[in-house]
Amino acid sequence: MSASHAETMLALALRESERFRKIPEQEAAVPRAPGKWSRKEVLGHLIDSALNNHQRFVRAQLADALDFPGYSQNEWVSSQGYEQRNWADLVTLWEALNRHVAHVVARIPVDKLSVPCRIGSGAPVTLDALVADYLRHVNHHLEQI
Ligand code: NI
């Protein structure tokens, strides 16, 4: 299960980063609608997701159960000033993070996939379900870029 998730993640990182690189800098900085995130901010949000999920995926393997805080998505994006970063740098960072997360996911021992993980005040789910959620979340935001 995690091996196929890892393959999907890697293929997606390679394919989408190539597509992102064709988007001009100015276009990436424009809010998608009044008060909405720009492409830079959406990708920043996906970078935050990769960083948080990387922590979850590693920590869950080292514990019998994981209890880990969630993160306030809007505040994470606004406090980091993603709109002031270079688009090409954000794309490179996102691609590199996902190549590594895919590598990490591929190595999760089968017996660790069932470790219960509680994120914030949510109900516990298995590590395997967290990995599936991560992929679903990336796919959900791709259409906004
Ligand atoms: Ni999101």
Side-chain angles (χ1 to χ4, degrees):
M1 206 44 183
S2 61
S4 74
H5 283 142
E7 278 171 33
T8 305
M9 211 177 282
L10 181 60
L12 187 148
L14 299 177
R15 185 189 68 228
E16 294 299 320
S17 57
E18 197 178 317
R19 179 172 74 83
F20 295 166
R21 286 195 177 90
K22 293 177 185 140
I23 299 171
E25 175 79 26
Q26 306 90 303
E27 210 173 296
V30 178
R32 296 178 57 257
K36 299 274 187 189
W37 283 338
S38 64
R39 286 177 174 80
K40 284 186 178 182
E41 289 171 318
V42 173
L43 193 56
H45 171 57
L46 290 181
I47 287 168
D48 292 342
S49 174
L51 290 165
N52 275 272
N53 278 284
H54 171 261
Q55 291 267 325
R56 296 169 186 172
F57 299 164
V58 177
R59 288 173 185 276
Q61 295 179 55
L62 309 178
D64 296 327
L66 178 71
D67 202 337
F68 200 65
Y71 62 104
S72 318
Q73 311 183 5
N74 292 327
E75 287 77 5
W76 271 59
V77 166
S78 60
S79 66
Q80 293 175 74
Y82 279 118
E83 71 278 11
Q84 278 127 39
R85 294 297 311 274
N86 196 281
W87 175 242
D89 288 346
L90 291 177
V91 174
T92 298
L93 178 57
W94 179 82
E95 182 190 0
L97 282 172
N98 279 282
R99 290 172 80 130
H100 182 60
V101 171
H103 170 79
V104 168
V105 165
R107 306 171 48 87
I108 299 175
V110 176
D111 64 316
K112 293 292 180 186
L113 290 173
S114 54
V115 169
C117 305
R118 180 194 293 277
I119 306 302
S121 57
V125 297
T126 63
L127 174 55
D128 195 39
L130 270 192
V131 173
D133 266 352
Y134 173 68
L135 261 176
R136 253 195 303 277
H137 180 254
V138 174
N139 273 307
H140 162 74
H141 282 289
L142 283 178
E143 65 192 37
Q144 301 169 345
I145 298 178

